[in-house]
Amino acid sequence: MNMLYERRISSPLGELHVVASNEAIVGVYLPGHKGAPVILARDGREHPVLGEATRQLEEYFAGQRQFFMLPLDPRGSDFQREVWRALLEIRFGETRSYAELARVLGRPQAARAVGAANAKNPISIIVPCHRVIAGDGALTGYAGGIAAKRWLLSHEQDRHAPGPTIS
């Protein structure tokens, strides 16, 4: 069994719960995150991946980082992982609708399934599910809350850069 490690870090959105395996980030949860699992993990103060994630998240919140370069291992179905990989292609400061994301995945009728997978994204902020909005531009469906989604989108406004990949 792969050991999990955790670190809590301060952010403008409140305390984030960041979780890593031995090799990669497996979760970033915002305060009050809907559907966040109960995770039994060891203290990750000395964990190198958590240390790097903390540094990069702090840079992001300070406006000094537009994309993350971290090993990621979100746990989910093949379809969920496909959706989460597609989220990484949405550039900083940009948004996509659920329908647009479904079309990019070659599944134009799967907007609801894309939305459901997006809602299960375990690595908030780093895998930018906050960048997916309703077709009419409304801010909907963010596990960290609509206020957090609004803050993140405002924080990213008018900036662009490529993102990381999930293997």
Side-chain angles (χ1 to χ4, degrees):
M1 183 174 141
N2 201 352
M3 180 59 65
L4 294 178
Y5 301 86
E6 68 179 346
R7 182 183 272 187
R8 307 249 178 197
I9 62 171
S10 296
S11 83
L13 300 172
E15 188 176 66
L16 302 178
H17 183 201
V18 185
V19 183
S21 66
N22 289 329
E23 303 85 24
I25 299 297
V26 298
V28 176
Y29 302 99
L30 287 91
H33 193 110
K34 293 178 188 165
V38 174
I39 298 173
L40 301 176
R42 292 188 178 179
D43 181 354
R45 278 180 280 188
E46 304 302 321
H47 192 286
V49 173
L50 286 174
E52 184 60 20
T54 299
R55 183 182 71 78
Q56 290 188 29
L57 283 162
E58 287 172 348
E59 290 172 355
Y60 169 85
F61 286 117
Q64 301 166 343
R65 175 171 291 277
Q66 294 185 7
F67 62 95
F68 297 90
M69 297 189 61
L70 294 163
L72 305 176
D73 187 20
R75 287 138 188 213
S77 70
D78 289 343
F79 177 73
Q80 288 171 330
R81 290 175 57 85
E82 181 182 0
V83 170
W84 302 335
R85 276 190 294 274
L87 294 174
L88 294 171
E89 301 300 319
I90 305 172
R91 295 167 62 111
F92 187 97
E94 296 181 358
T95 59
R96 298 285 179 278
S97 71
Y98 297 100
E100 288 172 319
L101 202 53
R103 282 193 297 278
V104 164
L105 293 170
R107 302 169 188 239
Q109 303 302 316
R112 287 183 187 267
V114 164
N118 198 53
K120 298 289 186 183
N121 171 26
I123 306 179
S124 296
I125 303 167
I126 295 170
V127 177
C129 54
H130 60 276
R131 296 179 188 154
V132 183
I133 60 174
D136 65 0
L139 302 186
T140 60
Y142 191 58
I146 296 300
K149 184 172 190 166
R150 184 177 295 110
W151 190 95
L152 290 164
L153 291 172
S154 176
H155 177 68
E156 294 183 1
Q157 190 174 20
D158 297 328
R159 296 180 186 137
H160 304 281
T165 61
I166 296 174
S167 56

